[in-house]
């Protein structure tokens, strides 16, 4: 099986100044090629540390992809680091320099002397044109490895990945498999209880099954590797059917489905309107449900009164109210339905900062399961 590792380069990522989106994008496309991604790491702009990381990755994986550090300044050390990792010098490539000159000329400028650094690549490497930016890319090949260096700018990286790198990988490594993934979203049971119900499925080798716990929501990931999309889909469908049979109404959606969209869809399907009231949720419920009134604080009794008032004023069919209590990490919920009022009190064992999100998701799930039970 062809394997890969991704190294994102940039001190600004480590300082939290920017968010790395490149790793996720590359990982998704490697998955689509049937490549096993072993690990991803981020390293600052330090030539020695980058070179060391590349050497380590080359020992573990067939494909090593770096992003970032290909600019014209001194703190763009990727070219030198890759050269050091494979034991060669850098060399000026006239063809790449002409690409840099042509790109800059499109903006009516001439390149500065430091921009010539971008045309230096490890000796013997394959130069890759960058028609959407000034930094050429390159691939260093060994008997086993392909070390691929891409720009850190996302739109440049994405273009070159599609136009040059994916075709190269398919040819070099004879990639004829794909990996498909299905994410099943659950709410109403904790990760441990779900694990107990599907633990035998988590021991499968293909498809693989894994859990990811969020606050009030648990995702079940099913990943299948196959020769065709239809074959992978069939493998996933078989396992998904078993998951749904065991978990029943705990499953609320798949892939891009969100809990709030599912709930709002159920409300709309019945021809109802919904209003909501929140207190101490920092606007969490308001961001998920339109027509939500937010209060800095309420008691349980005043929450009910506020909810009744909001429903009467909006003339909505149903209403949902949520208040959290940071003192004892608990939440109270009120629901007004055509059939009457319901209340619910729950306690939370997680960190206080997660209390608003947890209460919001559990309240939405409570509304979802209540509507499902109404015939």
């Amino acid at each position: 099986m062809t394997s890969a590792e991704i190294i994102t380069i940039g001190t600004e990522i480590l300082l939290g100044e920017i968010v790395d989106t490149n790793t996720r994008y590359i990982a998704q496309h490697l998955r689509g090629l049937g490549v096993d991604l072993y690990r991803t790491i981020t390293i600052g702009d330090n030539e020695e540390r980058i070179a060391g990381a590349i050497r380590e990755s080359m020992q573990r994986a067939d494909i090593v992809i770096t992003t970032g550090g290909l600019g014209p300044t001194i703190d763009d050390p990727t070219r030198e680091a890759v050269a050091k990792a494979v034991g060669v010098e850098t060399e000026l490539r006239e063809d790449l320099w002409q690409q840099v000159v042509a790109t800059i000329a499109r903006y009516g400028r001439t390149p500065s002397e430091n921009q010539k650094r971008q045309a230096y690549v490890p000796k013997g490497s394959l130069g890759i044109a960058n028609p959407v930016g000034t930094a050429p890319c390159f691939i260093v090949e060994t008997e086993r490895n392909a070390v691929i260096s891409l720009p850190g700018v996302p739109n440049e990286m994405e273009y070159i990945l599609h136009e040059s790198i994916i075709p190269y990988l398919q040819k070099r490594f004879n990639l004829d498999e794909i990996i498909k993934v299905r994410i099943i979203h659950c709410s109403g049971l904790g990760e441990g209880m779900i694990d107990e119900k599907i633990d035998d499925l988590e021991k499968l080798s293909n498809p693989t099954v894994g859990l990811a716990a969020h606050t009030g929501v648990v995702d079940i990931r099913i990943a299948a590797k196959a020769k065709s999309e239809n074959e992978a889909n069939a493998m996933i469908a078989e396992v998904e059917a078993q998951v749904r049979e065991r978990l029943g109404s705990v499953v609320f959606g798949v892939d891009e489905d969100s809990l709030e969209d599912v709930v709002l869809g159920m409300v709309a399907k019945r021809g109802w309107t919904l209003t909501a009231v929140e207190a101490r949720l920092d606007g969490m419920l308001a961001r998920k449900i339109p027509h939500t009134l937010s209060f800095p604080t309420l008691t349980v009794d005043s929450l009910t009164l506020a909810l009744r008032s909001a429903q009467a004023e909006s003339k909505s069919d149903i209403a949902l109210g949520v208040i959290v209590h940071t003192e004892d990490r608990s939440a109270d919920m009120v629901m007004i339905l055509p059939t009457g009022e319901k209340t619910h009190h729950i306690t939370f064992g997680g960190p206080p900062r997660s209390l608003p999100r947890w209460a919001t998701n559990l309240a939405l799930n409570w509304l979802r399961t209540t509507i499902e039970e109404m015939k």
Side-chain angles (χ1 to χ4, degrees), residues 306-327:
L307 192 61
R308 290 172 181 167
S309 175
Q311 184 193 30
E313 185 174 343
S314 64
K315 298 180 181 179
S316 57
D317 299 285
I318 57 176
L320 177 67
V322 186
I323 181 173
V324 297
H325 313 287
T326 54
E327 316 83 49

Side-chain angles (χ1 to χ4, degrees), residues 199-261:
D199 61 342
D200 59 314
L201 300 179
E202 295 175 71
K203 298 173 185 175
L204 296 173
S205 59
N206 191 25
T208 59
V209 178
L211 302 181
H214 307 284
T215 308
V217 172
V218 177
D219 288 342
I220 302 173
R221 182 198 69 253
I222 307 173
K225 177 178 283 192
K227 294 289 186 182
S228 69
E229 186 170 351
N230 287 339
E231 183 182 351
N233 286 338
M235 294 165 67
I236 290 173
E238 182 178 348
V239 176
E240 181 180 352
Q242 296 184 61
V243 170
R244 288 181 176 275
E245 182 180 356
R246 299 182 195 187
L247 298 182
S249 63
V250 171
V251 174
F252 70 80
V254 298
D255 295 336
E256 301 304 317
D257 294 335
S258 68
L259 188 50
E260 60 268 27
D261 287 344

